[in-house]
Amino acid sequence: MSDIKKRLSSILESPKQSTEEKLQKVCQLLDQEISYFNWTGFYFKNGDKNELKLGPFVGAPTDHIIIPYGKGICGQVAVSNETFVVPDVYAQENYLSCSIDTKAEIVVPIFKNGENIGQIDIDSHKINPFTEEDKEMLQWLCEEIGKII
């Protein structure tokens, strides 16, 4: 995992790329390196509205371009400000299905100056694939992203 962290750091520290390009490359790296990350993307607060707007992502297209706060796993994280690991999406009542293949999801918030400004959302086609190491790495990543946004 430390190799992935080093590579993620070098993407985020690149002076030649826009934030949008960096986030797209982060999605690509995670998608390529972690076999059970089957959809990786970012959602960000949509201006002053209590909703999230889809940002850079890798994976199948989604109908969920806008997600109201409180709806689905992403909307819940926008309200709770806490990482949410869902080992089995079908056991969750407030789940927004993006793909029939999705079986698990992890969502980690991104903070800037103490405010929840967005999140990374990762879906997996496997039940309960996410490890404590994945969670720690993604929380570290979101802290680093908060510094460059």
Side-chain angles (χ1 to χ4, degrees), residues 92-122:
Q92 274 298 317
E93 285 179 25
N94 189 6
Y95 170 67
L96 284 177
S97 178
C98 290
S99 160
I100 55 165
D101 296 323
T102 299
K103 302 218 174 16
E105 184 172 10
I106 184 170
V107 179
V108 180
I110 300 168
F111 295 95
K112 178 89 177 169
N113 301 324
E115 182 191 350
N116 184 341
I117 58 160
Q119 54 198 229
I120 191 167
D121 175 23
I122 298 172

Side-chain angles (χ1 to χ4, degrees), residues 49-148:
K49 300 176 186 163
N50 283 335
E51 65 185 23
L52 297 163
K53 186 174 184 185
L54 182 63
F57 72 94
V58 170
T62 178
D63 292 338
H64 300 124
I65 309 297
I66 301 287
I67 298 176
Y69 280 19
K71 285 285 269 177
I73 309 307
C74 290
Q76 288 177 72
V77 168
V79 174
S80 74
N81 297 326
E82 293 177 7
T83 297
F84 197 164
V85 180
V86 183
D88 180 357
V89 295
Y90 296 103
Q92 274 298 317
E93 285 179 25
N94 189 6
Y95 170 67
L96 284 177
S97 178
C98 290
S99 160
I100 55 165
D101 296 323
T102 299
K103 302 218 174 16
E105 184 172 10
I106 184 170
V107 179
V108 180
I110 300 168
F111 295 95
K112 178 89 177 169
N113 301 324
E115 182 191 350
N116 184 341
I117 58 160
Q119 54 198 229
I120 191 167
D121 175 23
I122 298 172
D123 294 351
S124 179
H125 296 170
K126 294 188 162 105
I127 287 188
N128 199 17
F130 303 115
T131 65
E132 192 59 35
E133 194 177 31
D134 292 333
K135 182 179 169 184
E136 288 170 12
M137 184 265 297
L138 292 170
Q139 288 174 328
W140 167 84
L141 173 63
C142 288
E143 278 180 37
E144 295 301 304
I145 289 169
K147 295 173 188 174
I148 66 159

Side-chain angles (χ1 to χ4, degrees), residues 5-52:
K5 271 187 167 179
K6 283 185 195 137
R7 291 166 64 197
L8 289 167
S9 284
S10 70
I11 290 170
L12 296 178
E13 291 163 7
S14 168
K16 295 187 174 100
Q17 295 176 317
S18 70
T19 300
E20 190 95 355
E21 290 169 322
K22 291 176 186 181
L23 295 178
Q24 187 66 48
K25 286 190 183 269
V26 164
C27 291
Q28 290 164 343
L29 176 70
L30 292 174
D31 181 70
Q32 289 162 2
E33 294 299 321
I34 303 176
S35 64
Y36 49 89
F37 283 20
N38 302 115
W39 191 96
T40 301
F42 291 95
Y43 282 94
F44 290 99
K45 185 169 178 15
N46 191 11
D48 291 336
K49 300 176 186 163
N50 283 335
E51 65 185 23
L52 297 163

